[in-house]
Amino acid sequence: MASAKESDNASDTPSSPKNLYKDPDDGRQRFLLELEFVQCLANPTYIHYLAQNRYFEDEAFIGYLKYLQYWQRPEYIKFIMYPHCLYFLELLQNANFRNAMAHPANKEVAHRQQFFFWKNYRNNRLKFILPKPPPEEAPAPAAPPPAAAQPQLPLPASNITMPTAPPAHASAPSPMPYGLPSGSAVVKNDMRNSGIDRRKRKHERS
């Protein structure tokens, strides 16, 4: 009898596998709810809402945030569509960050930094991912081409006519007396002969 009662009591204890909670849909609904809540943490405005409503003062809620860190494991992280939520989930483990997010100014700073990250993330990432092309070698300076002889322009036709000497006639006699041929009839004009003739004439008259 005692053994039968002990077996009944053992079956009613909470540690018994028969009394463990089992999700009716094998945890699908729980998975989706936790996934949705974790991804909501990617919004700084939602974190500000939780801080304003003093959710971060509840120790059970702080423990729930620690429990949600399993989403950082590789088998779960592939379902995350907004990876910023995991970054903010890590920051929410710090009490200083939880208290700071209660102020609207800090919420705006976080939202602005998140926008700048989205704006420049792709360009900054490509700088480290894409291989840098090797430096191009400076091309050797090309030899200057030989100077081509400039074609001489034809001179314009001039209308000025140069005077030309008339052709010399071969039959024209030379004016010089010593150029006369021998036996010429032209008498040489000798001053001494003329003086002698005058004296003869004067002597004959006397």
Side-chain angles (χ1 to χ4, degrees), residues 138-158:
Q150 297 183 355
Q152 296 182 355
L153 299 178
L155 297 177
S158 177

Side-chain angles (χ1 to χ4, degrees), residues 59-70 89 93 98:
E59 293 297 331
F61 189 79
I62 300 301
Y64 183 63
L65 292 176
K66 292 180 180 179
Y67 158 75
L68 291 176
Q69 287 184 302
Y70 74 87
L89 178 63
Q93 309 303 321
R98 295 195 297 266

Side-chain angles (χ1 to χ4, degrees), residues 75-144:
E75 60 268 26
Y76 293 98
I77 199 173
K78 60 184 179 181
F79 298 102
I80 298 294
M81 297 182 60
Y82 307 102
H84 275 199
C85 66
L86 299 178
Y87 179 74
F88 283 114
L89 178 63
E90 188 67 25
L91 292 177
L92 286 172
Q93 309 303 321
N94 190 337
N96 294 332
F97 180 77
R98 295 195 297 266
N99 297 332
M101 287 303 294
H103 300 278
N106 295 332
K107 182 257 298 184
E108 292 297 331
V109 170
H111 197 290
R112 193 178 304 112
Q113 294 300 321
Q114 186 181 47
F115 168 75
F116 289 145
F117 180 85
W118 285 336
K119 180 181 178 182
N120 302 317
Y121 173 76
R122 182 176 181 274
N123 293 335
N124 293 338
R125 185 174 177 81
L126 290 179
K127 291 179 182 179
F128 298 98
I129 292 180
L130 296 180
K132 296 182 179 180
E136 298 181 357
E137 297 181 358

